[in-house]
Amino acid sequence: MVVLWGGAPFFRRGWRSLKPWQPNMYTLIGLGAGVAWLYSAVAFIWPGIFPAGFRDAHGRVGVYFESAAVIVTLVTLGDFLDMRARRRTGAALKALLGLAPKTARRIADDGSETDVPLDEVRTGDVLRVRPGEKLPVDGVVIDGASHVDESMLTGEPMPVSKQVDDVLTGGTVNQDGALTMRAEKVGGETMLAQIVALVAKAQRSKAPLQRVADRVAAWFVPTVVAVALLAFAVWALLGPQPRLAHALIAAVSVLVIACPCALGLATPISIMVASGRGAQQGVLFKDAGVIESLRGIDTLVLDKTGTLTEGKPTLADLVVLGEWPRERLLALAAALERSSEHPLARAILHAAKAEHLRLPSATDFRSVTGRGVAATVEGDAVLLGNTRLMAESSVPVDDDASARAEQMRGQGTTAMFLAIDGHLAAVLAVADRIKSTTPAAIKALHADGLRIVMLTGDSAITAQAVAGELGIDEVHADVSPTDKAAVVERLKAEGRRVAMAGDGINDAPALAAADIGIAMGSGTDVAMESAQLTLVKSDLGAIVRARKLSHATVRNIHQNLFFAFVYNAVGIPLAAGVLYPWFGIVLSPMIAALAMSLSSISVVSNALRLRKVRL
């Protein structure tokens, strides 16, 4: 009953593995337990048909029902413990799935509020989030102020202050204030949904090290069957009486103790745990290969804006040249930039908005790529851009204006000239502050042995100022998206293993060209699609943690593979009876089954240690 009923799943899996010829652990278990039980059944019913080689000193034919039953029992127990351990490896993914609330509180046009299922929330819906509640979807604050706990997505314990126009991420927890938000991304478009999808994809993917185990596993089962037959033949010819009975025990022990499962689990179980651990730290791996190869990177190429800096430029200075009122010049500049999508334009618009200026209408707007913008404002021809735009428009830039601009660039800001009707009127300085976490991250990356290269479309003076402050090793300024990709290709041609980190559409070619592309979570969808690794919080310090996790994961995989190889290299000869001539030791099939089950459990347990590794 135990063997036929309890072992039925093993026999079915073993049989199914033979149809596409992908023999596995259950092929061996089915053979071992099946042979032991079938032999015992025949010996019990028709003992007279067995020759003397199967009989003991009293002429009896031994039966091994208990061995077959114990094999099935121990393997079943091993499977239960193995699955229990494996469920713990998916705990991180389950925790992510559980972050999203089941309902959202929607505010109707008439002001009434109703709780609706999360899948009924649509883009543009106005939602209320009370203190202590989870944010249902991604969106922006339209009323209220609070602090939001984003630790489950970024790994950072400090709550983040949120006010009107700030971005909110679904699954995070509102703490101390009521917020009214507008839904921007719902369903599969939310950051949480994308994180879950990336983690699941990484856990399903195969690391390069897995190919080694796969090649071995393809030959493993046929080799074990051959060893079992050889052990049977040797014991039948040279073993003690009853020879054939001893030969049968040795063959069954070899079949049962061999564990291709440990080999098969060695890599994917570690990758599964590492992917979940990375997600908890705000590091999202697109596939298993990235986890393995990240440790080998020796050069990190960084975009400046949005990667090293906050990506939120602010107007740092406006120097008036002539008799124009400052407010008028700022209003004219903002009128031009109202039609522009450039980040610098938003800085000027925010400055004008903060001073409550009335913006005149601009007509005949045109954007000159790499130069600036031009338009007609209340009858005046207005230009805003760099030195090249002024030269091409025949606007003279005197030495004093040039010196002021150079001084601004030397302080790490971007300088722009404002001209009205062919005359220079002002110099504007827009600053993009370096992130507070960047200096420490650069220091840690240097300590980790990485060479840091910065790429930027900004001027050389501004780029050198930022690089000097941060201790960047190599700087490339005034580069286009194509130039960025060319720099990455050149570094690779020099034999370097290159990772590229960026956040914009203009970084996508370089991200795709690098050995590993790293996207900032605050960046564009195009950048994230081109990258193999995403940093949820856009903090470069996460790269240091990701590399530590990469080192720990590969080390863990090597340990698992080593144990699996050593276990089988030692266990199979022991089961075959290699020690019997010297020590008289014969391994029972029951002991072999216990050892096989423990081998799989030990591999899974070792992989679970990655959940506690210090990053």
Side-chain angles (χ1 to χ4, degrees):
M1 179 63 72
V2 172
V3 176
L4 295 181
W5 180 75
F10 305 145
F11 296 128
R12 282 197 297 269
R13 293 179 194 176
W15 176 253
R16 283 199 297 265
S17 72
L18 297 177
K19 293 180 181 179
W21 192 246
Q22 292 179 337
N24 54 32
M25 178 186 79
Y26 297 105
T27 313
L28 300 177
I29 297 301
L31 276 173
V35 167
W37 186 89
L38 189 62
Y39 164 81
S40 300
V42 174
F44 180 75
I45 299 172
W46 297 294
I49 67 173
F50 288 88
F54 283 98
R55 299 178 183 276
D56 60 18
H58 302 288
R60 292 174 298 192
V61 179
V63 293
Y64 303 100
F65 288 118
E66 77 286 355
S67 294
V70 171
I71 289 171
V72 169
T73 302
L74 288 175
V75 173
T76 302
L77 176 61
D79 272 7
F80 168 75
L81 295 175
D82 186 31
M83 289 303 298
R84 183 179 177 184
R86 285 202 223 185
R87 279 197 294 270
R88 291 169 62 194
T89 67
L93 187 56
K94 290 178 182 177
L96 288 172
L97 288 168
L99 288 179
K102 304 301 181 187
T103 61
R105 193 165 189 81
R106 185 163 59 193
I107 303 175
D109 293 338
D110 61 2
S112 61
E113 299 181 10
T114 53
D115 289 330
V116 297
L118 194 61
D119 56 8
E120 291 185 13
V121 177
R122 299 290 179 264
T123 301
D125 284 354
V126 177
L127 310 172
R128 187 179 305 284
V129 186
R130 291 164 292 195
E133 292 183 337
K134 293 179 179 179
L135 299 171
V137 295
D138 295 358
V140 295
V141 180
I142 59 176
D143 187 42
S146 183
H147 288 84
V148 174
D149 180 4
E150 298 181 341
S151 60
M152 64 286 296
L153 293 180
T154 65
E156 296 295 329
M158 291 299 293
V160 180
S161 175
K162 298 292 181 180
Q163 299 175 354
V164 175
D165 292 335
D166 283 343
V167 176
L168 299 171
T169 304
T172 55
V173 181
N174 181 30
Q175 290 199 326
D176 49 24
L179 293 174
T180 304
M181 65 177 289
R182 181 176 63 252
E184 298 281 338
K185 293 182 179 180
V186 300
E189 296 180 348
T190 64
M191 173 69 80
L192 181 59
Q194 292 178 30
I195 289 174
V196 171
L198 279 172
V199 173
K201 181 180 178 182
Q203 291 183 344
R204 291 193 303 268
S205 64
K206 284 189 176 183
L209 279 172
Q210 179 67 24
R211 301 188 195 115
V212 178
D214 287 346
R215 284 196 296 269
V216 173
W219 294 95
F220 185 81
V221 174
T223 302
V224 169
V225 173
V227 171
L229 292 174
L230 179 63
F232 183 90
V234 171
W235 277 88
L237 293 173
L238 305 175
Q241 295 294 343
R243 289 179 177 175
L244 293 179
H246 281 97
L248 181 66
I249 292 173
V252 169
S253 295
V254 169
L255 291 172
V256 171
I257 201 169
C259 189
C261 191
L263 280 173
L265 281 174
T267 298
I269 204 73
S270 297
I271 293 298
M272 182 177 289
V273 178
S275 299
R277 181 67 196 282
Q280 291 174 334
Q281 293 293 316
V283 178
L284 306 180
F285 298 99
K286 185 174 283 188
D287 58 58
V290 180
I291 302 176
E292 183 178 333
S293 58
L294 184 62
R295 69 191 181 111
I297 294 299
D298 56 30
T299 303
L300 179 61
V301 179
L302 301 171
D303 172 54
K304 181 177 78 72
T305 304
T307 303
L308 294 170
T309 63
E310 293 180 348
K312 299 177 181 177
T314 57
L315 183 64
D317 198 3
L318 191 158
V319 177
V320 178
L321 305 174
E323 302 299 325
W324 293 89
R326 180 186 178 282
E327 292 75 12
R328 172 64 176 170
L329 294 176
L330 180 56
L332 288 173
L336 258 71
E337 298 288 30
R338 187 156 49 181
S339 300
S340 175
E341 295 293 329
H342 199 281
L344 299 182
R346 291 194 291 271
I348 295 172
L349 283 168
H350 285 153
K353 182 180 178 181
E355 296 186 22
H356 306 290
L357 300 180
R358 184 191 69 82
L359 303 187
S361 299
T363 58
D364 300 325
F365 175 85
R366 60 189 178 93
S367 176
V368 185
T369 304
R371 307 286 194 275
V373 293
T376 301
V377 183
E378 295 183 339
D380 294 324
V382 185
L383 300 172
L384 180 63
N386 57 24
T387 307
R388 284 179 289 181
L389 179 64
M390 298 299 116
E392 291 170 2
S393 304
S394 301
V395 177
V397 178
D398 58 33
D399 293 340
D400 180 55
S402 295
R404 288 177 181 271
E406 289 299 301
Q407 184 182 13
M408 292 173 175
R409 295 187 186 110
Q411 296 170 349
T413 64
T414 300
M416 297 179 289
F417 296 107
L418 178 68
I420 303 173
D421 291 331
H423 299 285
L424 203 61
V427 184
L428 291 81
V430 175
D432 188 5
R433 289 185 300 178
I434 293 173
K435 293 177 182 175
S436 59
T437 57
T438 297
I442 295 296
K443 185 177 180 181
L445 290 165
H446 272 138
D448 203 25
L450 293 182
R451 177 175 177 80
I452 310 297
V453 179
M454 185 179 81
L455 305 180
T456 178
D458 224 329
S459 69
I461 296 175
T462 301
Q464 289 293 347
V466 174
E469 184 176 346
L470 293 174
I472 304 293
D473 300 307
E474 185 179 332
V475 179
H476 297 267
D478 290 311
V479 292
S480 66
T482 306
D483 294 333
K484 290 182 179 181
V487 171
V488 171
E489 293 288 3
R490 177 181 62 77
L491 290 168
K492 289 172 64 178
E494 293 173 359
R496 295 187 172 276
R497 295 282 297 166
V498 182
M500 164 72 188
D503 72 329
I505 293 175
N506 62 336
D507 298 320
L511 290 171
D515 293 303
I516 296 179
I518 304 173
M520 301 291 113
S522 59
T524 64
D525 292 339
V526 175
M528 291 189 203
E529 193 64 32
S530 302
Q532 295 89 41
L533 179 65
T534 300
L535 308 181
V536 175
K537 201 189 175 189
S538 303
D539 174 14
L540 291 176
I543 298 178
V544 179
R545 296 194 293 273
R547 279 173 57 83
K548 287 181 180 178
L549 183 59
S550 174
H551 281 287
T553 302
V554 173
R555 187 165 56 246
N556 191 270
I557 291 172
H558 286 160
Q559 292 167 354
N560 286 344
L561 288 172
F562 175 79
F563 174 79
F565 280 120
V566 169
Y567 164 79
N568 284 291
V570 174
I572 292 174
L574 282 178
V578 71
L579 295 181
Y580 183 80
W582 296 279
F583 303 103
I585 297 175
V586 178
L587 204 63
S588 161
M590 293 180 282
I591 301 299
L594 178 62
M596 187 277 299
S597 298
L598 291 177
S599 69
S600 295
I601 296 169
S602 63
V603 167
V604 175
S605 299
N606 186 53
L608 285 172
R609 293 193 305 114
L610 288 171
R611 298 168 64 190
K612 304 296 183 183
V613 68
R614 292 188 64 180
L615 302 177

